[in-house]
Amino acid sequence: MIRPILIHPDPRLKKLCDPVTEITADLRQLASDMLETMYDAPGIGLAAPQVGVTRRILVMDCIKDGPPEPMVLINPVVLWRSEDLTVYEEGCLSIPDQYADVKRPAEVTVGWIDLDGAEQERQFAGLWATCVQHEIDHLDGRLFIDYLGPLKRQMITRKMEKLKRERAREAADAR
Ligand code: K2U
Ligand code: ZN
């Protein structure tokens, strides 16, 4: 099912998420819900804390045109980062309609456990590299605005607080 995406500021988005210790039916349902929620947003990545679950699992599908390539990464770890950096104008489903340039290593090698419990390792480049680093940051309670200067971060946070007040008022009026 599609789950609501938390909007910044929210303490659950700043938490260091807990490692997954067992792959259960509930975890599989969470992964399925996260993929459904990501495609619906639409987005190309989503981390569990964004749907209020502070556990180390993320989903990704950075394929634009062509058959979808959904990935589920459990307890992901960055094993290697390139020296080269790239800048990408990032957004975040938890910080809607705000974009800023973020500099990150151009390529990363990530190790993780898949839904079958098997260990995986892959080197990512391009948008996949940006996305996987953005999502792993979520598992460490880090948002792309944490890479910005304090004034720009504060301006974006103020906008999100206003948005949340407006959404709360709309919800109250709808009742
Ligand atoms: O984690 C999220 O909030 C989903 C992010 C993932 C992402 C952020 C920046 C750069 C790459 C991935 C996005 O909101 S998904 C939306 C999107 C779509 C196409 C390109 C970039 C971002
Ligand atoms: Zn995000």
Side-chain angles (χ1 to χ4, degrees):
M1 82 197 172
I2 291 173
R3 299 186 185 213
I5 295 176
L6 300 184
I7 302 297
H8 167 76
D10 185 308
R12 291 163 290 182
L13 292 172
K14 299 305 289 171
K15 258 205 72 177
L16 184 65
C17 295
D18 303 316
V20 168
T21 53
E22 192 189 351
I23 298 177
T24 62
D26 281 356
L27 192 82
R28 290 177 198 285
Q29 184 59 55
L30 171 63
S32 167
D33 292 352
M34 285 171 65
L35 280 166
E36 195 180 344
T37 302
M38 179 191 78
Y39 287 122
D40 175 69
I44 56 172
L46 191 69
Q50 294 184 273
V51 291
V53 177
T54 55
R55 301 173 73 190
R56 301 188 78 82
I57 176 171
L58 67 91
V59 297
M60 277 197 306
D61 184 350
C62 301
I63 297 293
K64 279 204 186 71
D65 32 30
E69 195 181 311
M71 293 186 77
V72 177
L73 280 65
I74 296 164
N75 299 341
V77 178
V78 175
L79 302 171
W80 171 81
R81 291 176 174 81
S82 64
E83 299 268 310
D84 288 346
L85 302 175
T86 52
V87 177
Y88 192 92
E89 190 183 30
E90 299 196 12
C92 182
L93 297 176
S94 295
I95 309 176
D97 305 323
Q98 304 303 311
Y99 300 92
D101 283 350
V102 177
K103 204 183 286 185
R104 297 182 189 271
E107 297 190 40
V108 287
T109 302
V110 178
W112 71 93
I113 311 287
D114 65 19
L115 276 178
D116 302 324
E119 293 204 0
Q120 299 293 344
E121 187 173 314
R122 185 190 286 196
Q123 187 168 321
F124 294 97
L127 184 54
W128 284 94
T130 299
C131 183
V132 74
Q133 292 177 83
H134 176 110
E135 302 309 336
I136 292 175
D137 271 356
H138 273 300
L139 304 184
D140 293 333
R142 214 175 5 258
L143 301 171
F144 81 91
I145 57 172
D146 295 333
Y147 295 99
L148 309 182
L151 284 179
K152 187 143 170 60
R153 181 167 53 250
Q154 196 177 72
M155 184 189 70
I156 291 175
T157 300
R158 292 250 168 84
K159 279 185 184 173
M160 291 299 107
E161 286 166 339
K162 182 169 178 286
L163 174 73
K164 288 173 77 160
R165 284 197 299 274
E166 285 162 0
R167 286 191 180 180
R169 202 171 303 122
E170 281 161 18
D173 294 349
R175 272 196 286 273

